[in-house]
Amino acid sequence: MNIPDTSRPTPLTEPQAEATSRWLAGSLNRPANAHQEWTANGIAILALGRRLSAVRVTEGLVYAVTANTAPATVARVLRELLHGPVIHDPRGQRFYALVPASPSSGSLGRYATYLGLGHFVGVPRVENTAPSRFVTSYWAAPMLRPGDLCDPIRLAAMLTVGSDAPASREACPKSEGPGPAEQLPDRGLRTTSLVGVDGFEPPTSAL
């Protein structure tokens, strides 16, 4: 009997990638801006709190939960735990779990921060599902279809487990504010180094 290899995500078909990209771009008033950014830089700034929100999680907590730092293993474990997409920003040492656009239910602990309405996040092209020297962030757990988001209850459980793990307490700092790579670029939108814009508001014309 052949056992399927679940260590790598199944590549998106072209129709799946197009549909998912359109859904993500719809978080902006001007979806064409997102498509332009993906084409130019591989990353687009998307608005949170409309179609989706995000939870920023420190790298140390995720690695404490997955007990591994290999991207393929981390991707598999995150997908099994959260049933949804997660972006990894290696430069900022953060993960971003995409969740439904609803108000936060309360504190997520020292190692995670809820990002909702009024926040923006750098989202890679849906095809970028593995780290490489050509991309600044990638989908650690890919978005498989429009509206495919993490289960908030499962995410809360993962954060509880990770926060209690000794490896998490030793390896990861608190989740306090945007990291050094999470800055609004000059003139609003275009940069190849942008990986996770949160806590900043681009000009209205950019949306």
Side-chain angles (χ1 to χ4, degrees), residues 57-65 93 95 162 167-169 171-173:
V57 185
T58 56
E59 232 177 32
L61 185 144
V62 171
Y63 293 152
V65 170
Q93 299 181 328
F95 284 83
S168 175
R169 292 196 298 270
C172 64

Side-chain angles (χ1 to χ4, degrees), residues 32-54:
N33 285 350
H35 294 289
Q36 291 170 359
E37 288 301 306
W38 281 319
T39 298
N41 303 322
I43 293 175
I45 301 175
L46 300 186
L48 298 176
R50 299 176 182 180
R51 290 196 165 185
L52 69 157
S53 293

Side-chain angles (χ1 to χ4, degrees), residues 9-25 35 38 79 125-127 129 139 142-148:
T10 302
L12 294 176
T13 65
E14 186 172 342
Q16 285 177 317
E18 290 179 355
T20 301
S21 295
R22 284 197 303 271
W23 187 86
L24 286 167
H35 294 289
W38 281 319
R79 191 72 196 179
R125 296 174 63 238
V126 295
E127 297 89 349
T129 58
W139 295 92
M143 187 171 232
L144 301 179
R145 66 189 68 85
D148 173 38

